[in-house]
Amino acid sequence: MKLKNLSFSKLWVLGVFVFFACGEDDPTPPMMDTSFYATQLGGETMVPDPDNPGQMVEQGFLNLRTVVTNTVLEIASNEGGTYNDLQPYFSVLLNEVGRNELSGFTTLVQDFTIFLAEATGAQNFQYTGLNMAEAHNSTNPRMNGLINDADYDLFIQAVVAGAAEAGITSPEVLGPVGDLLESVREPIVQRPDGENLDLYTRLGGSGLVEDPDNPGTLIEAGYLPLRAVVTSTVLVIATNEGGKYDNLQPYFTVLLNEVGAGDTSGFTTLVGGFSDFLAANIGSTNIEYNGLNMRDAHDPTVNSRMTGLITAEDYDLFVQAVVEGALENNVPESIIGEFGALLNSEGLRDAIIQA
């Protein structure tokens, strides 16, 4: 009986040993990575990073990054005006690059590449940026305007061109990438077809440019033409060539006397305040108007710089001066028409015209 038990024990131990020995000799095959990232883009194979000498990068990530970089450069270079309609959205980025500030460019390329890498099956990258809806509306200070379907189609066209420049033209690759971009169309496209971009974005948006009136400082590109038009408007009224604006002179008595005495502080304040008002009302997300409301600003009992109540005829003459100021700055007639619509809006006219 003891011998039988001993023999069984030996056999059991031998069986266990053989089982584990076989496990070591014949390990379970690893799961194959069948993701698009692995099968079509190069996957996790490590290769030298051409943009960072001495470093390695996953082949799949490198291919995606090359396409993204080419896409952004395709839009930025805008050869032949192909991507004119996309330029306003990139106001911040394009003006940074124009000043040789590349941090925003690098961040955009990196974030978009990581987004694509994760979406195509990469295991070592995780997108942690804004969701697609927030990334493409005014909650993102680097975004100007809301995208419509036509402009999103144009962006996809730029991606295809960027891929072709990288030597990627196979439908097996472009098709799934196109499907991926289509899958996020809904949160990205936030402006209905037929609705214009906001006027501030079309004037240049929030991208920063050198301020010609203040060397060494920057100013939003969209604010610059507004300030130029307002400055010209005040000057055409003040110079009053041919007596065209005789009827407006009394309202500007305080200002004109200050300027005549060499004091331009009131002039600067007026130009800044009116420019801020326009910017805030045509789509600026960074500039606020903090002055008097329009009724109080044009009521002599509230605003000591105002002399007399404005009539409808004189307000029309003021709008005419704004048009002249805009024409002096080569503002397109279509844009002038939109300014006119704002200035002649019922609420604004009712607040300003008090006589």
Side-chain angles (χ1 to χ4, degrees):
M1 189 70 176
K2 287 183 179 180
L3 289 174
K4 186 181 291 188
N5 287 341
L6 180 60
S7 298
F8 177 80
S9 299
K10 287 181 178 179
L11 288 173
W12 184 83
V13 171
L14 179 62
V16 171
F17 175 80
V18 170
F19 174 81
F20 280 105
C22 289
E24 291 176 0
D25 292 340
D26 301 304
T28 302
M31 293 289 291
M32 292 293 293
D33 186 350
T34 58
S35 69
F36 182 77
Y37 183 81
T39 60
Q40 297 292 338
L41 296 174
E44 297 178 8
T45 301
M46 301 302 291
V47 296
D49 187 341
D51 292 346
N52 298 286
Q55 297 184 29
M56 305 292 282
V57 63
E58 290 186 7
Q59 181 69 68
F61 189 85
L62 176 59
N63 285 335
L64 286 173
R65 191 183 68 193
T66 302
V67 171
V68 170
T69 300
N70 290 349
T71 298
V72 178
L73 293 177
E74 181 84 8
I75 294 169
S77 60
N78 192 28
E79 292 184 8
T82 302
Y83 302 106
N84 280 344
D85 289 343
L86 297 184
Q87 301 291 295
Y89 304 113
F90 292 89
S91 172
V92 174
L93 176 70
L94 295 179
N95 283 297
E96 285 175 346
V97 173
R99 299 193 304 274
N100 202 33
E101 293 180 13
L102 302 180
S103 59
F105 173 85
T106 301
T107 298
L108 173 62
V109 168
Q110 185 76 356
D111 285 351
F112 189 25
T113 304
I114 291 174
F115 173 80
L116 292 175
E118 182 181 14
T120 55
Q123 300 298 309
N124 299 321
F125 297 95
Q126 182 178 8
Y127 176 73
T128 58
L130 295 171
N131 64 52
M132 290 299 101
E134 291 176 344
H136 295 88
N137 66 32
S138 59
T139 60
N140 179 4
R142 299 187 62 81
M143 183 69 187
N144 277 256
L146 299 176
I147 297 175
N148 64 7
D149 274 312
D151 290 345
Y152 191 62
D153 289 341
L154 189 58
F155 172 74
I156 293 176
Q157 178 182 324
V159 174
V160 172
E165 189 176 343
I168 300 173
T169 57
S170 167
E172 287 77 13
V173 177
L174 294 181
V177 171
D179 292 341
L180 170 60
L181 295 175
E182 284 295 337
S183 73
V184 293
R185 178 184 289 268
E186 184 176 352
I188 290 176
V189 172
Q190 301 179 37
R191 177 165 56 92
D193 289 336
E195 180 180 302
N196 283 333
L197 271 173
D198 65 88
L199 183 52
Y200 193 77
T201 293
R202 282 179 283 141
L203 289 175
S206 61
L208 297 176
V209 297
E210 293 289 338
D211 186 344
D213 293 347
N214 299 285
T217 62
L218 299 174
I219 185 173
E220 290 194 358
Y223 191 83
L224 192 56
L226 288 178
R227 191 184 66 188
V229 169
V230 171
T231 299
S232 294
T233 298
V234 177
L235 289 177
V236 298
I237 294 171
T239 54
N240 191 27
E241 292 184 7
K244 186 187 305 184
Y245 299 108
D246 280 346
N247 290 345
L248 296 183
Q249 299 288 297
Y251 302 112
F252 291 89
T253 298
V254 175
L255 176 68
L256 295 177
N257 287 332
E258 287 174 345
V259 173
D263 179 3
T264 59
S265 60
F267 174 86
T268 301
T269 299
L270 173 61
V271 169
F274 189 24
S275 299
D276 289 352
F277 174 80
L278 291 175
N281 280 278
I282 63 171
S284 172
T285 57
N286 298 323
I287 296 172
E288 297 179 353
Y289 173 70
N290 297 311
L292 294 170
N293 64 58
M294 288 298 101
R295 178 167 294 280
D296 287 349
H298 296 86
D299 182 349
T301 66
V302 178
N303 181 5
S304 60
R305 298 184 63 81
M306 187 70 189
T307 56
L309 298 174
I310 296 178
T311 66
E313 293 78 10
D314 289 345
Y315 186 67
D316 290 340
L317 188 59
F318 171 75
V319 173
Q320 181 181 328
V322 174
V323 171
E324 184 175 342
L327 290 172
E328 280 190 2
N329 289 277
N330 301 311
V331 176
E333 289 189 11
S334 60
I335 300 295
I336 293 175
E338 292 184 60
F339 273 122
L342 169 63
L343 295 174
N344 283 311
S345 61
E346 184 177 354
L348 188 58
R349 284 186 68 92
D350 287 348
I352 293 176
I353 297 171
Q354 300 180 35

